[in-house]
Amino acid sequence: MPFESTAETVRAWVHGWAASRGAADPVAEPWGFSIDVGQVKHATRHVLTADDEATVRKIADTVAAPSVWLKVFADPASVLSWAGPDWRVDDPGWLMWAELRRTETAVPDGYTLRTWSRGGVTRALVVAADGSFAARGQIAPTGATAVADQVETSPAHRRNGLGSLVMRTLHNAAVEQGAGIGVLGATRDGRALYESLGWRTQAPLVSLYFDPSA
């Protein structure tokens, strides 16, 4: 494994994610990182490298406010009970990593692949024959590591190999910029795709948002 601990993997993910989303630079905290995201429903996120009950309880109580999110890498049921009744859990996720290698890509018939880079972030877009959206993704290298992000395929175009095409395209772009290790936060839908491409699970990724009205 390229990382000595989950905390190191989280550190790589946090910096790459912030670069990918155009968020503020992560601020190091004794327990992890704080990131200003700047969205109406996602103003700030706090990413914990600590995974113990006392720390989760303390931070959840300290930062509790609408549009604030927590990311914790521990057992989901435990994290939810530690955070308290006003925190809601989002869809399940996983922190994953992979060794990146350049591979050949082939675009399936009837589709067009477009790529571009801005601010160090490379984006891949696949469109159908009529020009409509089929699949997309982006990757942000930050030195030796790169974070793959916002990978999705339209339901109408799934099972056509487009997710693999996007990921391999992003892998190649990151390798060309000097990255050798990839990191990402996987959703339930994306995990199988990533595993088929050699990605490995590091830890569960629990996403919580504050909502006292629910």
Side-chain angles (χ1 to χ4, degrees):
M1 186 175 72
F3 301 101
E4 294 185 359
S5 65
T6 297
E8 284 193 5
T9 314
V10 171
R11 186 177 296 106
W13 179 64
V14 162
H15 284 86
W17 184 92
S20 174
R21 300 296 180 95
D25 289 340
V27 176
E29 307 281 4
W31 40 262
F33 298 90
S34 293
I35 309 171
D36 286 332
V37 181
Q39 297 178 3
V40 173
K41 295 184 178 180
H42 192 166
T44 304
R45 66 165 48 187
H46 304 283
V47 184
L48 278 65
T49 51
D51 59 2
D52 61 283
E53 179 177 357
T55 301
V56 174
R57 286 185 180 276
K58 178 180 178 180
I59 301 308
D61 182 64
T62 301
V63 305
S67 74
V68 170
W69 287 70
L70 291 180
K71 303 288 180 174
V72 187
F73 304 86
D75 174 69
S78 297
V79 171
L80 187 57
S81 67
W82 298 343
D86 291 334
W87 289 91
R88 316 297 168 191
V89 66
D90 199 21
D91 293 335
W94 294 268
L95 183 67
M96 304 183 73
W97 65 271
E99 296 181 1
L100 301 178
R101 296 183 177 86
R102 181 169 180 79
T103 58
E104 295 300 320
T105 60
V107 181
D109 292 342
Y111 294 98
T112 300
L113 170 67
R114 302 170 184 162
T115 62
W116 67 95
S117 296
R118 179 167 295 180
V121 179
T122 296
R123 291 172 170 82
L125 170 67
V126 181
V127 296
D130 63 357
S132 62
F133 171 80
R136 72 169 307 277
Q138 60 198 59
I139 197 161
T142 53
T145 60
V147 169
D149 189 29
Q150 295 192 315
V151 178
E152 60 178 311
T153 301
S154 166
H157 296 279
R158 290 175 182 170
R159 302 188 183 281
N160 291 328
L162 302 184
S164 296
L165 169 64
V166 167
M167 286 300 293
R168 290 192 172 99
T169 300
L170 298 179
H171 289 185
N172 291 346
V175 170
E176 289 174 1
Q177 294 183 61
I181 300 296
V183 184
L184 58 76
T187 62
R188 181 162 41 199
D189 290 340
R191 186 180 183 185
L193 166 65
Y194 306 137
E195 288 179 337
S196 72
L197 296 172
W199 288 73
R200 303 179 186 181
T201 299
Q202 176 82 24
L205 194 172
V206 185
S207 297
L208 301 171
Y209 59 95
F210 187 76
D211 183 9
S213 65

